[in-house]
Amino acid sequence: MTVTRRSVLLASTAAPAAGALLATPAARAAEAAGSANGRRTVALRDGWRFALVDPGGITDPTGAYTNAPDPGYDDSAWREVAVPHDWSIEQTPTTENGTTSGTGFFPGGLGWYRLAFTLPPAQAGQRISVEFDGVYMDAYVYCNGTEAGRHPYGYTGFAFDLTGLLHTDGSTENVIAVKVQNRLPSSRWYSGSGIYREARLGVTEPVHVARWGTRVTTPEITGDRALVRVATTVENDSGAGADVQIVSRVVDPDGRTVARTSSTVTVAARAT
């Protein structure tokens, strides 16, 4: 269900808006702690292991990396890297394999990333996704051996739901594996290769504001007031309908609330 409401800002300066979903005590605690939309994030920067399979092509000719998505795959010989990471800039420029002057003659090719981590029992029952701000060029994302999704473009962020694929017993390791292919030529300027932007886990309650689920427009603005319209998409991934309260606040540059509105709606189970 998409919930739309209007808010009138009676202030001399337009300011950013934020929406918060208050459906459960946990969500209310998150708002009290300063969360703007009931979601938490965990940065995935350190501890990644990386293998450059082939800087000259996007295939695995020996088949040595066929099982790289599997949790038990031996990556002990892979190099440890931090994300963001660009493997192209580490290579020697060449005129072979489709490189061009626009990309500095740096190669692309095929690379693999793996990250192992555990999740505490407190995460059981929550929705957990992996988010990438950018992977160049074609990304294949696996979680514990199962393909979670593909993203065939290097300049946009994306996310995949991992909830049903993760272990949350506090002891069993989870493994996220990412295969990245950069077939050259693929860009008119230097793009790099790999997980070249930030990555994170996104954690929400089953009833939550959707990722990028808040849309703000200001159809009327004068010297001393503005009409702010906020449309919020709420997702209910639980097994039952839920009555939720959506609170929107407009804050000024000093953090003061200059306008506030709320609405209560019922969102059916497995619905938006």
Side-chain angles (χ1 to χ4, degrees):
M1 176 182 294
T2 299
V3 184
T4 305
R5 66 261 186 233
R6 299 182 181 183
S7 169
V8 177
L9 168 62
L10 300 176
S12 59
T13 305
L21 173 63
L22 306 178
T24 65
R28 294 188 180 94
E31 188 208 30
S35 174
N37 57 3
R39 70 189 300 269
R40 302 176 301 285
T41 60
V42 179
L44 301 179
R45 296 193 180 101
D46 300 319
W48 289 88
R49 290 193 174 273
F50 169 73
L52 179 56
V53 180
D54 183 3
I58 61 170
T59 62
D60 174 14
T62 68
Y65 299 87
T66 301
N67 297 323
D70 297 343
Y73 181 85
D74 183 8
D75 60 10
S76 59
W78 293 20
R79 181 160 61 99
E80 188 168 336
V81 299
V83 166
H85 172 253
D86 169 17
W87 82 66
S88 287
I89 201 66
E90 302 171 345
Q91 308 305 306
T92 301
T94 177
T95 57
E96 299 178 351
N97 303 315
T99 65
T100 65
S101 60
T103 57
F105 295 103
F106 284 99
L110 169 63
W112 273 97
Y113 295 85
R114 283 169 53 95
L115 178 68
F117 59 95
T118 59
L119 292 174
Q123 307 291 174
Q126 297 181 319
R127 307 298 298 184
I128 303 176
S129 61
V130 63
E131 304 174 355
F132 295 93
D133 289 344
V135 178
Y136 201 90
M137 168 73 165
D138 298 331
Y140 301 74
V141 180
Y142 302 83
C143 180
N144 293 328
T146 299
E147 184 176 312
R150 305 180 182 185
H151 190 73
Y153 187 64
Y155 290 121
T156 55
F158 58 96
F160 297 125
D161 183 19
L162 305 183
T163 304
L165 304 176
L166 291 166
H167 306 293
T168 56
D169 58 14
S171 58
T172 306
E173 275 195 336
N174 297 285
V175 175
I176 293 175
V178 184
K179 181 175 72 172
V180 185
Q181 296 174 324
N182 183 9
R183 183 199 300 269
L184 299 180
S186 64
S187 179
R188 293 174 292 170
W189 48 78
Y190 183 78
S191 63
S193 299
I195 306 176
Y196 73 103
R197 292 179 180 165
E198 297 283 350
R200 68 190 65 82
L201 292 180
V203 183
T204 70
E205 297 300 326
V207 183
H208 57 274
V209 174
R211 185 172 185 258
W212 309 127
T214 301
R215 181 170 59 90
V216 181
T217 58
T218 51
E220 298 176 19
I221 300 178
T222 66
D224 60 359
R225 59 183 284 152
L227 175 64
V228 180
R229 290 179 176 171
V230 184
T232 302
T233 300
V234 177
E235 295 179 342
N236 182 358
D237 294 319
S238 71
D243 293 331
V244 299
Q245 182 186 26
I246 303 171
V247 178
S248 294
R249 295 184 300 120
V250 179
V251 298
D252 68 12
D254 295 324
R256 296 173 300 183
T257 299
V258 295
R260 182 185 186 278
T261 188
S262 65
S263 57
T264 301
V265 296
T266 298
V267 185
R270 311 295 179 186
T272 299

